[in-house]
Amino acid sequence: MRYALQRIGQLLVVFVVVTFAVLVAMRLGAGGHRELARRMLGGNVTDQQVDEAVRRYHLDSNYLVQYLYWLKGFVTFDLGYSSANSMSVAKLLAPRFWTTALLGIYAIAVGLLLAVPAAVIQAHRRDSWIDRLGNVASFIGFGVPAIVLGIFLQLAFSLHWHLFPAIGDSIYPWQQFGAHVRNFLLPTLTLAIPQAAIYTRLLRADMVATLQRDFVVLASAKGMPTRRILWRHALRNSLLSIVTSVGTSLGGLLGGAVVVETLFDLDGIGSQMVISVLSRDLFTVQACVAFVVFIVVVVNLVVDLSYSLIDPRVRMARALA
Amino acid sequence: MTRPRPLQTAGRPAEGPLIELTDVRTHFATERGLVRAVDGVTLTIQRGRAVGLVGESGSGKTVLSRSIMGLLPRRGVVRSGSIRFEGTELIDAPRSTLRSLWGREMAMVFQDPMTSLNPLMRVGEQIAEPLRIHLGQSRAEARDTTIRLLTEVRIPSPAERLRQYPYELSGGMRQRVMIAIALACGPTALLADEPTTALDVTVQAQILALLSEERRERNMTLVLVTHDLGVVARHTDEVAVMYGGKVVERAPTAALFRRTRMPYTEALMRSIPTVDDPPHTRLAAIPGRPPDLVEPPPGCRFAARCAYARERCHAEEPSLVASSDDPDHHYACWYPVGTVEPVALRPADPAAVG
């Protein structure tokens, strides 16, 4: 428990440092604070409106004060005003946040669902044709860029077989479940296949090593069925790399989300961030970055805490630390 | 401490051969060639007896015990000969036949208790697993049996141990857990592969005493693999001494020590320090190294290191024959101990290196 609190503290520091750096970077090149306010509001604005913005966002104070006011806004979901969209950032991003978050969760889940059985079977039947096939498949999955894979899936499943829409609609599961699955399946696969390839290779290597350990031989000598040896004894002892990689691959996953959201025309944080950067929509960019950092931090916290769920020795060491 | 009765001993014949090995060979394919780890072993193990397999590292004793179990790598192994367990042929037997014996009929205790238990599974579950799967016990029954087994192997406060993980136990405790796992389903034969090598000396004696006691009470057959002749003397009825993948001397334990025939066995015995030796006595090491098992030398495999070796020993291989004065005592030697004068071998003589 103490360990969890420590980790949360560390990750909060990460969040603050990154969002502060982005705030400074975005506001640095604007000249004076009135110029900055004008840019934030966008378009033609009156001097009165500029004065109001300066007062409201404390633009005449130093960056630290500005940041603290922004942080206060962030925790109360007051994320500022999107000049490009003429609406509040919170309203603009709320649905987009769900699109990206769901895509990320699906990609990791589907990636694991594909990778774990494949890796276990490959390790069990090492050097057989099925292992070789798996190695080739994961090599291809790992090597093909998301944009090529996405277009390929569109060509095959949308244009050729007309199974799924090529241009998606951000429909959420709580709205219409069937339509949600149809719209999210191809984008999810585009993100999940490269993930599955990485996970498979890592887990296969760990499983091969674990299957040679003494306790696995002992499980055989006890007469345990192969299935139990693989799934109950060996798998849990092989999870370290794959769990770590779920955390570290998230950055790449969110990068991939930019491509995938654009390609399938889903309104998400990733595609919005690109648009907002190009239109110098300061508040929106700031909020998008904050969300991305937030997701990365939360997933890494979960990854970190799951080590002690897997291994009692980690639990013990952390309790003593 | 009162000890519960062993779980299963009834309904078994008390005597007769249990494991019959005929010309057993286990060779491993390597880049250098075929390693003849076990190279023609014929041996019968009687029911209810304790048999020692003795030899130095690389003599083939561990590979032989794993061959009996059938616990060999799936690939790169060439096997021949015959291994019969209660009449069932095990060489070339399908994996399913072996699996039906493992845990139920034959169980194994490994050398290193630090690596042989699953680090992420509670001790209780590791013992209960075979009970649930082989004996079909319910969760509650398996729990009771597990506590009984832990009591039997003298683990204090067994009910609390169930929920512990291996890392929470000492080496000796872990080896007791290993023995409890091996005993769980009341096997006919227990193969212990250097069960005490990784343990402290004081704990070694306790573990061996426990194994001997269990064997007697359960009328179980024990195959004890060890490099330690002292252990053999105290805990076995019969001994097979192995060298270079072969059995070079086989005898009832008392006879082996009373009248050692094979010079290798004699050299092994000499290399044990005794308390009567004055301080700083140089240990009597056997010069040279074990033979190359890819291209074994012609003749006796021990000849290069043997103090009694003559020309014939380097040219012709002696076979395992019964002693003229004791039909139970077999040895493979042209000039057994006491028949010719030893030749002094310098310990560092490069010519002595096989």
Side-chain angles (χ1 to χ4, degrees):
Chain A
M1 196 58 219
R2 216 180 96 190
Y3 177 83
L5 291 176
Q6 268 176 15
R7 285 301 289 165
I8 291 170
Q10 286 168 8
L11 291 169
L12 277 178
V13 171
V14 170
F15 177 81
V16 166
V17 168
V18 173
T19 49
F20 179 68
V22 171
L23 180 132
V24 172
M26 294 298 295
R27 297 183 181 184
L28 207 55
H33 58 260
R34 292 189 64 82
E35 186 54 37
L36 179 62
R38 207 163 267 129
R39 191 178 286 182
M40 280 174 158
L41 297 172
N44 294 321
V45 286
T46 61
D47 283 354
Q48 202 187 346
Q49 283 171 309
V50 169
D51 289 338
E52 200 195 311
V54 169
R55 221 178 18 258
R56 187 159 167 208
Y57 302 117
H58 303 266
L59 297 181
D60 47 356
S61 315
N62 63 40
Y63 287 130
L64 192 62
V65 174
Q66 290 182 33
Y67 178 74
L68 289 175
Y69 279 103
W70 174 84
L71 199 60
K72 184 183 156 206
F74 182 78
V75 295
T76 56
F77 291 104
D78 174 11
L79 301 171
Y81 176 76
S82 168
S83 55
N85 296 283
S86 308
M87 66 197 294
S88 85
V89 174
K91 211 166 170 186
L92 175 73
L93 290 187
R96 288 175 167 76
F97 171 76
W98 284 112
T99 301
T100 304
L102 288 175
L103 270 181
I105 292 167
Y106 293 165
I108 290 175
V110 172
L112 290 174
L113 235 48
L114 292 172
V116 172
V120 169
I121 292 165
Q122 276 189 266
H124 177 50
R125 298 247 170 260
R126 184 156 64 103
D127 295 340
S128 67
W129 65 269
I130 201 165
D131 182 27
R132 272 166 242 239
L133 188 74
N135 277 340
V136 170
S138 50
F139 219 79
I140 293 171
F142 183 61
V144 175
I147 185 139
V148 175
L149 182 62
I151 290 173
F152 173 78
L153 291 175
Q154 282 180 331
L155 287 174
F157 291 97
S158 307
L159 299 180
H160 190 72
W161 284 309
H162 305 287
L163 292 174
F164 302 102
I167 302 302
D169 240 327
S170 296
I171 298 169
Y172 299 109
W174 48 88
Q175 294 166 335
Q176 249 188 303
F177 190 75
H180 171 70
V181 172
R182 269 197 304 284
N183 280 291
F184 274 67
L185 190 80
L186 292 186
T188 297
L189 281 180
T190 309
L191 285 174
I193 286 171
Q195 292 299 309
I198 302 169
Y199 299 158
T200 307
R201 293 188 77 80
L202 289 171
L203 183 59
R204 180 193 169 277
D206 280 6
M207 275 292 282
V208 165
T210 305
L211 287 177
Q212 286 161 3
R213 286 171 63 183
D214 285 350
F215 71 84
V216 172
V217 181
L218 180 75
S220 272
K222 281 157 80 176
M224 294 298 107
T226 307
R227 195 181 295 169
R228 189 173 171 87
I229 293 174
L230 289 175
W231 295 94
R232 187 73 184 80
H233 287 272
L235 179 60
R236 196 169 169 196
N237 276 284
S238 312
L239 288 177
L240 195 69
S241 306
I242 193 173
V243 168
T244 307
S245 122
V246 167
T248 53
S249 65
L250 195 72
L253 203 59
L254 291 167
V258 174
V259 175
V260 168
E261 286 165 13
T262 311
L263 192 63
F264 289 91
D265 202 28
L266 290 172
D267 295 328
I269 296 279
S271 52
Q272 184 60 54
M273 186 150 53
V274 177
I275 298 166
S276 302
V277 167
L278 294 176
S279 61
R280 298 216 167 71
D281 189 348
L282 295 192
F283 279 113
T284 310
V285 172
Q286 178 84 44
C288 288
V289 171
F291 276 126
V292 169
V293 176
F294 184 74
I295 292 172
V296 170
V297 161
V298 167
V299 170
N300 276 289
L301 182 68
V302 171
V303 164
D304 226 55
L305 296 180
S306 66
Y307 291 136
S308 47
L309 277 183
I310 294 169
D311 194 334
R313 289 165 298 185
V314 174
R315 206 146 57 221
M316 171 82 166
R318 285 176 177 179
L320 292 177
Chain B
M1 194 184 334
T2 57
R3 289 161 47 74
R5 289 185 55 76
L7 300 168
Q8 299 186 343
T9 47
R12 276 193 198 135
E15 276 178 42
L18 178 71
I19 306 171
E20 293 160 282
L21 311 178
T22 314
D23 198 29
V24 172
R25 286 167 206 269
T26 305
H27 298 173
F28 296 102
T30 66
E31 283 176 15
R32 279 187 58 228
L34 218 52
V35 175
R36 300 158 175 271
V38 172
D39 204 19
V41 169
T42 300
L43 187 66
T44 299
I45 296 169
Q46 301 289 332
R47 274 175 201 280
R49 309 296 290 276
V51 177
L53 285 182
V54 195
E56 61 195 316
S57 308
S59 63
K61 56 191 195 302
T62 293
V63 175
L64 182 61
S65 69
R66 297 233 172 176
S67 300
I68 296 173
M69 276 296 273
L71 275 179
L72 294 164
R74 281 170 194 235
R75 281 163 305 161
V77 181
V78 186
R79 306 183 66 188
S80 67
S82 160
I83 298 176
R84 286 180 170 273
F85 182 86
E86 295 194 302
T88 309
E89 178 59 55
L90 298 187
I91 284 193
D92 297 331
R95 196 103 173 146
S96 56
T97 306
L98 292 174
R99 193 166 291 125
S100 69
L101 294 175
W102 287 343
R104 280 176 256 219
E105 294 294 323
M106 331 159 81
M108 200 160 190
V109 173
F110 291 134
Q111 178 171 345
D112 190 354
M114 310 312 263
T115 60
S116 301
L117 293 171
N118 185 340
L120 305 186
M121 197 188 271
R122 293 179 200 279
V123 164
E125 195 182 344
Q126 298 195 47
I127 304 172
E129 222 177 14
L131 296 169
R132 306 249 302 144
I133 290 176
H134 297 324
L135 304 183
Q137 293 191 351
S138 71
R139 205 171 280 275
E141 283 171 330
R143 194 191 135 86
D144 290 346
T145 315
T146 303
I147 291 176
R148 248 195 310 162
L149 282 162
L150 287 175
T151 314
E152 199 176 323
V153 298
R154 305 221 172 93
I155 286 183
S157 42
E160 289 154 39
R161 303 285 172 189
L162 297 183
R163 292 189 56 76
Q164 289 190 316
Y165 288 94
Y167 78 92
E168 296 173 271
L169 304 178
S170 69
M173 283 296 160
R174 288 188 214 193
Q175 198 59 301
R176 286 169 195 272
V177 169
M178 290 264 287
I179 293 171
I181 291 173
L183 295 177
C185 299
T188 316
L190 180 65
L191 289 87
D193 181 7
E194 304 248 10
T196 57
T197 307
L199 303 176
D200 289 346
V201 181
T202 48
V203 182
Q204 285 182 5
Q206 295 167 8
I207 295 288
L208 288 164
L210 175 67
L211 281 172
S212 288
E213 199 177 302
E214 291 294 342
R215 180 188 66 76
R216 274 195 306 276
E217 286 189 12
R218 293 164 174 265
N219 191 31
M220 193 170 63
T221 306
L222 177 68
V223 177
L224 189 61
V225 178
T226 178
H227 60 270
D228 188 341
L229 279 169
V231 166
V232 164
R234 268 183 299 267
H235 297 281
T236 64
D237 304 315
E238 281 164 52
V239 190
V241 180
M242 290 193 68
Y243 187 80
K246 293 180 178 264
V247 172
V248 292
E249 185 163 15
R250 172 156 65 83
T253 308
L256 184 88
F257 282 89
R258 200 184 326 113
R259 190 159 152 69
T260 307
R261 304 312 309 269
M262 173 69 196
Y264 174 62
T265 315
E266 187 192 44
L268 271 186
M269 287 183 184
R270 283 227 187 109
S271 63
I272 306 171
T274 69
V275 279
D276 301 328
D277 291 338
H280 305 292
T281 302
R282 203 188 172 103
L283 287 174
I286 306 176
R289 271 173 297 167
D292 179 10
L293 294 177
V294 175
E295 285 173 74
C300 174
R301 291 185 180 180
F302 185 59
R305 304 167 74 189
C306 181
Y308 303 95
R310 300 290 191 271
E311 231 167 89
R312 186 183 187 189
C313 302
H314 294 284
E316 272 180 83
E317 187 164 11
S319 52
L320 192 68
V321 292
S323 173
S324 53
D325 50 359
D326 180 357
D328 288 336
H329 196 146
H330 295 68
Y331 57 86
C333 186
W334 296 124
Y335 305 102
V337 175
T339 57
V340 292
E341 285 301 306
V343 187
L345 271 177
R346 285 188 305 278
D349 187 353
V353 174

